[in-house]
Amino acid sequence: VILSFLFLCQRLAESAEDADLYHEFNASLQFDYYNSMLINTVDEDGNNVELGGEFPLEENEHFNNLPVNTQQSNIQIPTNVYNKDPNILNAIYNSEALNDVFIRNFQKDPTLTWQYFGSSTGFFRLYPGIKWTPDSNGVAAFDCRNRNWYIQAATSPKDIVIMVDISGSMKGLKITIAKHTINTILDTLGENDFVNVIAYTDYVRYVEPCFKGTLVQADLDNREVGTLSASRRLKEANGQGSMCNQAIMLITDGAMEDFESIFEEFNWPERRVRVFTYLIGREMTFAQNTKWIACNNKGYYTHISTLADVQENVMEYLHVLSRPMVINHEHDIIWTEAYMDTVVSLSLKFLSHGILLGVVGSDVPLMEVMKLAPRYVLGPHGYAFLLTNNGYILAHPDLRPLVSSASFLQV
Ligand SMILES: *[C@@H]1O[C@H](CO)[C@@H](O)[C@H](O)[C@H]1NC(C)=O
């Protein structure tokens, strides 16, 4: 499974990157695709609805007895993303080539289960194709860009400090948008990331006193504590965080000043800590400073005036953090926990001209992973563990803490 996945990834990455390289963006592109929410749906006159053509489905034991189409992948788009947006249409068109790769992979290795591509534009191509079941309120909230496998493959581990302005002018809708922005940022964090939230007005206050002065791991428990807590300045986060990507997210309705002297002291000239600024609300009075802060600290400035803008604007920061320091063709394979404890996801990102196109992944049943570390290799007291950041399985025979006796099985 895993070897074929590597092969799959190479092929997927190559074909997706090539397709993007040679395709010119066409703003008026007309293109029909199978939308997994709309397939097999007819209007009152009995005609197929747009993007909802006939899509044969057949129950399949290998895919949890779900009705699937093993001849074709199809496309899911979150309800809040316009399904005929030119960016989406062009990217879906480009990813059509993956269809054949998915099918060939499955033919070559019938133990493979789900294969998928999450696009940075927001659509999710899933093989085999299925009929997407809406949530209880009739919408598809699922956004592949929020999933662990996507985020962890797209970016390296992150240390994030969220600074939220709670001064007098931040009230009503603005504070609602600010809270939603914080939650959306937290949703983009995985177990490898460290986070803290600082509320500030004229004095700094820690939102969650338990975590005072430290970065805490963004695992589910800590994220559930709600909007977390405070932090030491990232510059002082010595070994406490992930130390890879460091960023400050500044959420405000307008920065009164540009804090140049502070950045000069703590972040320049290296600018190791990126600063992303989110200007909340309709007023643009202090937009200039807010923009300046982001632009002078390798970050990104966005203006969020309504609740509906939050999701897309927050996602922008992932594009910046996903850019490799040096542009090359190396793809890192990332293991992430999946939706069940019997399955792990294997995923990798791909890029075009250094821009994140998306993440391709496949689910791997743990049973298949365990076959790579059979008992006879491990010995009576041996054990194996999966190194999630690089796709190695480390087998450690006999509980002996000797480096020389550990054998690495590259997967
Ligand atoms: C763009 O798409 C439209 C509609 O699909 C097509 O008619 C047109 O030829 C395309 N333009 C280019 C430059 O490919």
Side-chain angles (χ1 to χ4, degrees):
V1 167
I2 290 149
L3 287 175
S4 52
F5 180 77
L6 279 184
F7 184 63
L8 151 105
C9 284
Q10 266 162 13
R11 295 261 293 285
L12 285 176
E14 277 160 22
S15 67
E17 283 166 348
D18 286 352
D20 189 75
L21 220 51
Y22 300 121
H23 172 74
E24 285 213 12
F25 182 80
N26 181 348
S28 54
L29 180 67
Q30 306 269 318
F31 174 65
D32 278 339
Y33 58 91
Y34 288 109
N35 182 308
S36 60
M37 278 278 272
L38 302 172
I39 50 165
N40 304 333
T41 312
V42 290
D43 58 19
E44 308 92 73
D45 304 327
N47 300 316
N48 288 325
V49 300
E50 243 189 317
L51 305 179
E54 232 170 90
F55 194 82
L57 296 167
E58 211 175 306
E59 240 177 66
N60 190 318
E61 211 179 325
H62 188 61
F63 294 96
N64 318 23
N65 291 322
L66 283 173
V68 298
N69 183 334
T70 51
Q71 298 308 307
Q72 202 126 37
S73 60
N74 63 6
I75 304 286
Q76 179 268 350
I77 296 181
T79 303
N80 65 346
V81 174
Y82 177 43
N83 62 23
K84 298 190 101 177
D85 179 280
N87 285 320
I88 294 265
L89 283 185
N90 277 271
I92 293 176
Y93 180 81
N94 284 350
S95 70
E96 282 282 281
L98 300 184
N99 226 1
D100 286 348
V101 185
F102 288 146
I103 294 169
R104 263 201 312 265
N105 281 320
F106 187 50
Q107 281 167 350
K108 278 212 170 95
D109 184 352
T111 63
L112 271 175
T113 60
W114 305 99
Q115 301 174 62
Y116 37 83
F117 169 61
S119 163
S120 63
T121 60
F123 73 82
F124 180 60
R125 182 183 280 281
L126 179 65
Y127 174 88
I130 59 162
K131 172 89 180 163
W132 199 273
T133 317
D135 312 346
S136 54
N137 42 7
V139 299
F142 178 91
D143 189 325
C144 60
R145 296 167 299 178
N146 275 341
R147 313 307 292 182
N148 250 320
W149 54 265
Y150 184 96
I151 291 159
Q152 290 184 29
T155 63
S156 317
K158 306 177 278 300
D159 293 346
I160 303 255
V161 171
I162 303 172
M163 297 199 62
V164 55
D165 180 354
I166 52 163
S167 58
S169 59
M170 286 284 283
K171 50 180 187 279
L173 181 60
K174 284 199 248 177
I175 210 76
T176 310
I177 295 173
K179 277 185 190 160
H180 189 46
T181 304
I182 296 172
N183 282 326
T184 308
I185 295 171
L186 291 176
D187 282 344
T188 66
L189 303 178
E191 282 189 6
N192 298 329
D193 303 319
F194 289 78
V195 65
N196 246 314
V197 182
I198 301 175
Y200 73 93
T201 105
D202 44 348
Y203 62 96
V204 168
R205 189 167 71 109
Y206 297 111
V207 175
E208 171 52 64
C210 302
F211 303 133
K212 189 170 170 150
T214 57
L215 283 177
V216 294
Q217 197 163 9
D219 62 18
L220 219 49
D221 276 354
N222 282 332
R223 278 161 52 189
E224 277 172 356
V225 172
T227 23
L228 310 176
S229 51
S231 158
R232 215 163 270 183
R233 279 185 301 258
L234 283 169
K235 195 162 184 167
E236 295 171 2
N238 294 334
Q240 231 163 5
S242 71
M243 302 301 286
C244 282
N245 274 306
Q246 299 195 321
I248 292 172
M249 317 305 235
L250 182 66
I251 301 169
T252 177
D253 62 344
M256 305 281 267
E257 52 169 315
D258 57 24
F259 305 106
E260 181 168 350
S261 60
I262 295 179
F263 291 122
E264 194 165 5
E265 181 178 349
F266 291 102
N267 206 30
W268 296 351
E270 305 92 342
R271 293 163 221 255
R272 265 196 328 116
V273 179
R274 293 181 194 265
V275 184
F276 296 86
T277 55
Y278 299 90
L279 184 71
I280 306 291
R282 299 200 180 275
E283 287 156 53
M284 302 288 287
T285 325
F286 298 106
Q288 218 41 46
N289 285 336
T290 317
K291 226 180 256 181
W292 186 93
I293 291 171
C295 294
N296 285 284
N297 291 285
K298 287 188 181 169
Y300 198 92
Y301 156 84
T302 45
H303 181 206
I304 305 184
S305 53
T306 68
L307 271 176
D309 293 341
V310 170
Q311 179 80 17
E312 288 303 311
N313 281 322
V314 164
M315 290 302 160
E316 289 296 336
Y317 97 86
L318 289 176
H319 287 245
V320 178
L321 288 192
S322 67
R323 269 176 223 155
M325 290 300 175
V326 181
I327 295 176
N328 60 22
H329 262 265
E330 255 180 57
H331 297 101
D332 292 332
I333 306 272
I334 304 283
W335 292 92
T336 52
E337 76 267 41
Y339 44 91
M340 285 187 290
D341 56 7
T342 53
V343 179
V344 287
S345 296
L346 198 51
S347 50
L348 96 174
K349 70 175 164 187
F350 42 96
L351 306 151
S352 170
H353 302 299
I355 307 289
L356 178 68
L357 292 180
V359 174
V360 58
S362 182
D363 287 353
V364 181
L366 275 179
M367 284 298 286
E368 295 296 327
V369 179
M370 279 147 84
K371 284 184 195 160
L372 292 167
R375 276 263 141 243
Y376 69 85
V377 172
L378 297 176
H381 300 294
Y383 57 96
F385 49 95
L386 196 59
L387 303 181
T388 54
N389 281 335
N390 58 13
Y392 282 88
I393 286 181
L394 176 62
H396 194 309
D398 212 12
L399 289 174
R400 276 170 299 159
L402 292 170
V403 175
S404 58
S405 70
S407 53
F408 290 87
L409 306 175
Q410 188 173 4
V411 295

